[in-house]
């Protein structure tokens, strides 16, 4: 897989060990993008904000989504800010 001259150079420093070669920064994907977790959390947060906007209490949302009060409040604030930004840009 590696050119012979590069392999010989690496063998001077690493003898029979495994090495990890990270991707270039431009090729890295964000957390949860490949697995779909990011989309699931975004969808969940939209649901939480929607239910809160409809009048459901933070306590109800805690129980429904098994999250702490702080987590629910962070979701609400984050979604409110995102929606206000998008309405200003429109």
């Amino acid at each position: 897989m590696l050119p012979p001259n590069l392999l010989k150079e690496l063998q001077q420093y690493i003898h029979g060990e495994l090495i990890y070669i990270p991707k270039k920064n431009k090729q890295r994907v964000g957390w949860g993008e490949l697995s779909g977790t990011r989309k699931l959390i975004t969808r969940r947060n939209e649901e939480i904000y929607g239910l809160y906007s409809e009048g459901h209490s933070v306590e109800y949302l805690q129980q429904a989504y098994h999250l702490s009060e702080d987590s629910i409040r962070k979701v609400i604030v984050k979604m409110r800010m995102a929606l206000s930004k998008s309405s200003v840009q429109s």
Side-chain angles (χ1 to χ4, degrees):
M1 287 193 279
L2 297 174
N5 59 340
L6 177 58
L7 182 58
K8 285 180 184 178
E9 186 71 26
L10 286 171
Q11 286 173 334
Q12 291 181 20
Y13 300 97
I14 303 165
H15 306 282
E17 300 288 329
L18 295 175
I19 62 170
Y20 170 73
I21 302 171
K23 292 181 180 181
K24 294 180 182 178
N25 285 340
K26 294 178 184 177
Q27 295 176 342
R28 297 185 97 164
V29 293
W31 176 88
E33 289 180 12
L34 291 178
S35 66
T37 303
R38 182 173 290 230
K39 286 182 182 179
L40 290 173
I41 291 175
T42 300
R43 190 175 309 130
R44 179 206 65 188
N45 291 350
E46 290 169 350
E47 288 175 8
I48 289 171
Y49 186 74
L51 290 170
Y52 179 78
S53 297
E54 291 172 2
H56 290 276
S57 68
V58 171
E59 185 177 337
Y60 168 80
L61 296 170
Q62 282 178 254
Q63 293 173 0
Y65 289 91
H66 306 285
L67 294 171
S68 69
E69 180 180 351
D70 283 346
S71 294
I72 296 292
R73 292 194 184 281
K74 285 178 187 176
V75 167
I76 293 167
V77 168
K78 189 175 180 180
M79 294 299 296
R80 187 180 291 148
M81 288 175 62
L83 289 173
S84 69
K85 281 183 182 179
S86 67
S87 65
V88 168
Q89 292 176 355
S90 298

